Amino acid sequence: MKTSLAVYFMALMGLFITSCSSDDGMDTGSVDTQNMEGKTAVNFELDASSLGYIVQTKADQFSPSNSYTKNAFSIYAFRIKQDGGSVYEYEKTIDLTKLSYSPTTKKLTGTDILPIGNYKFLPVYGIANQSTLLTTPDWAGKTLNDTYTIGYEGGKDLTEIFLPVTVGNTGALTAYPMGLTSTPNQTVTAKLQRAVSRVDLMFIKVKKEEDGSYTETAYPENKDVFGEAEIEKIEMRYKGLNNLMSYFGSNKTTTPFDKNIELNLDKGIIMIGESENASTIGVGDTFDYDNINSEQLIYGSAHVFGNYLLPNNDASKATSLEIYIKPKDEVGRTINVSLTADKKLPLERNKVTIVKVYVIEDDPNTPPPTVFTTKVKFDVEIETKWAGSHEVTGELE
């Protein structure tokens, strides 16, 4: 008996760009179909086209900010092992060595063998490839329930995590009979959505108007907000980070922690603006924060692709941020974003929080101010984008 199993990974908001266009180089293993009594061959077809993005550091240059491979997928299979029972026990994690990724079809396909029975499946992405940063259950001997969590204690290399969407708990997972009748098995489907939050930075020179609004101003040719300095280090100093979430994206933190996270500048995460017009990042319905280009930034301003964090369950502002930025061979500067409670960051699932640092130009006839100018004034605007937005503003001396 042959069982067809297809798990399609899709995003609700259409926020994902094409996946990385290279195979992970692993061979697809053959499946031994001998001695199949009590078992069934399960075909997998995982649509991975919603995973992957490329950050555009220049108009004509691309720098991968993350690499998606089949080894980051995990599909946990749980089966009722007692006749007439209702408890799903861990059976196995699907064998990825039998699957291969096609850059043409953007699909992960292959076959694995499962014992015949009633199943529920828990698919995730971004857990298996981050074992040094995340604490996950030892599934052996475990039953399927809502108590299991993903733990995070901070680290600069945390990448995206995708978890099931629309399903709030294990009880709502669809039950699938596999190989129990002569009729074809029902296709197993699942929708995954980005389950983390991200914090990005923008540094923009502005003129502050009498009514308190801001007008972006471009830097002269070959000048920028960093004073043309090569940036050696950017450190995000957080207080009040979450450290636990469920396998359905709910915050399970009981004691938040503080952590300094150094951004990996080797990934080309800093982009300098080249547009003659005002920046369009964070304006209107611009939610594509995974494919930003230099023409979306006013000349000389900067966008910094930040880091991922475990989110809150809502838009509450609970996390403080201090930014430390250091140019090469020069003294660094600290910018305290969260001076008051209303300046704390809202960290929501599947959203980017943009911290906009406005470098205020008081006199256009003097040399343009930079992030490192002595006594420069800042104004910080915090926006949350992807699916909706909100913001707070305040001026820093």
Side-chain angles (χ1 to χ4, degrees):
M1 183 176 298
K2 185 177 181 181
T3 301
S4 295
L5 174 62
V7 182
Y8 297 94
F9 289 84
M10 305 172 65
L12 275 187
M13 300 298 179
L15 302 174
F16 309 111
I17 315 304
T18 57
S19 56
C20 298
S21 58
S22 62
D23 198 293
D24 53 28
M26 296 188 67
D27 294 331
T28 302
S30 61
V31 175
D32 183 4
T33 57
Q34 303 298 316
N35 303 316
M36 287 287 290
E37 183 177 355
K39 298 180 180 180
T40 182
V42 180
N43 296 327
F44 289 86
E45 185 178 297
L46 280 65
D47 184 350
S49 61
S50 61
L51 301 181
Y53 58 82
I54 293 177
V55 175
Q56 198 167 356
T57 56
K58 292 288 184 182
D60 57 351
Q61 292 182 333
F62 295 88
S63 175
S65 180
N66 199 2
S67 178
Y68 291 89
T69 70
K70 73 177 182 183
N71 290 329
F73 287 96
S74 300
I75 305 174
Y76 307 114
F78 296 84
R79 180 171 66 97
I80 297 177
K81 298 183 179 181
Q82 180 180 354
D83 290 342
S86 60
V87 176
Y88 290 84
E89 300 179 49
Y90 174 75
E91 177 67 33
K92 66 176 292 185
T93 300
I94 299 305
D95 186 0
L96 296 178
T97 64
K98 310 301 182 183
L99 280 67
S100 63
Y101 175 71
S102 169
T104 302
T105 64
K106 307 280 195 303
K107 291 183 178 180
L108 190 70
T109 59
T111 303
D112 197 10
I113 304 298
L114 288 174
I116 291 171
N118 288 294
Y119 283 86
K120 286 189 175 183
F121 298 90
L122 181 60
V124 300
Y125 184 94
I127 304 298
N129 62 322
Q130 301 193 78
S131 59
T132 59
L133 296 176
L134 301 174
T135 303
T136 56
D138 178 3
W139 292 109
K142 298 293 194 304
T143 59
L144 184 62
N145 60 65
D146 299 328
T147 63
Y148 304 116
T149 58
I150 301 165
Y152 172 61
E153 292 297 334
K156 64 180 181 180
D157 293 321
L158 181 66
T159 58
E160 291 175 294
I161 299 171
F162 292 81
L163 299 175
V165 69
T166 72
V167 178
N169 53 62
T170 54
L173 290 172
T174 302
Y176 296 94
M178 302 294 292
L180 295 175
T181 68
S182 59
T183 59
N185 292 321
Q186 179 184 353
T187 298
V188 178
T189 61
K191 293 182 179 180
L192 295 187
Q193 188 185 58
R194 187 186 284 108
V196 288
S197 178
R198 196 177 87 207
V199 178
D200 284 6
L201 305 176
M202 289 181 68
F203 298 92
I204 308 171
K205 182 167 68 73
V206 298
K207 174 185 177 184
K208 188 170 184 178
E209 307 294 351
E210 292 184 1
D211 62 0
S213 63
Y214 301 95
T215 300
E216 294 187 12
T217 57
Y219 277 87
E221 187 175 359
N222 298 323
K223 302 294 182 181
D224 62 50
V225 72
F226 298 133
E228 303 81 64
E230 178 184 351
I231 302 303
E232 182 178 85
K233 181 177 183 178
I234 299 179
E235 190 174 71
M236 310 287 272
R237 299 173 177 176
Y238 294 103
K239 291 184 178 180
L241 290 179
N242 297 325
N243 56 19
L244 288 174
M245 73 174 175
S246 75
Y247 273 77
F248 300 96
S250 298
N251 181 22
K252 298 296 183 180
T253 301
T254 57
T255 305
F257 70 103
D258 302 340
K259 189 71 175 182
N260 296 342
I261 299 176
E262 184 176 348
L263 301 184
N264 188 348
L265 302 184
D266 291 337
K267 291 185 176 181
I269 61 174
I270 299 177
M271 179 171 51
I272 303 299
E274 296 179 345
S275 175
E276 296 179 357
N277 303 312
S279 304
T280 58
I281 298 172
V283 177
D285 295 329
T286 305
F287 297 149
D288 187 1
Y289 295 99
D290 294 339
N291 195 32
I292 293 170
N293 65 74
S294 58
E295 293 302 323
Q296 293 175 280
L297 287 169
I298 193 168
Y299 193 93
S301 61
H303 173 272
V304 179
F305 192 103
N307 63 288
Y308 296 99
L309 298 169
L310 300 190
N312 299 320
N313 292 329
D314 51 32
S316 59
K317 300 176 181 179
T319 303
S320 300
L321 172 64
E322 185 177 271
I323 305 165
Y324 175 73
I325 180 167
K326 181 186 181 304
K328 187 175 182 180
D329 301 325
E330 298 290 343
V331 177
R333 177 152 201 168
T334 300
I335 302 171
N336 192 345
V337 173
S338 306
L339 287 173
T340 58
D342 66 320
K343 301 295 192 304
K344 291 186 177 181
L345 307 184
L347 302 177
E348 294 186 74
R349 175 176 175 168
N350 199 24
K351 292 189 179 181
V352 173
T353 295
I354 304 175
V355 177
K356 292 184 176 179
V357 179
Y358 291 133
V359 180
I360 300 175
E361 183 177 51
D362 289 326
D363 186 354
N365 296 317
T366 60
T370 72
V371 169
F372 307 108
T373 303
T374 304
K375 295 183 179 179
V376 68
K377 292 183 178 179
F378 295 97
D379 193 40
V380 177
E381 177 180 327
I382 302 173
E383 297 184 359
T384 301
K385 293 282 188 176
W386 271 354
S389 65
H390 45 261
E391 62 185 52
V392 296
T393 60
E395 188 167 311
L396 302 178
E397 295 292 343

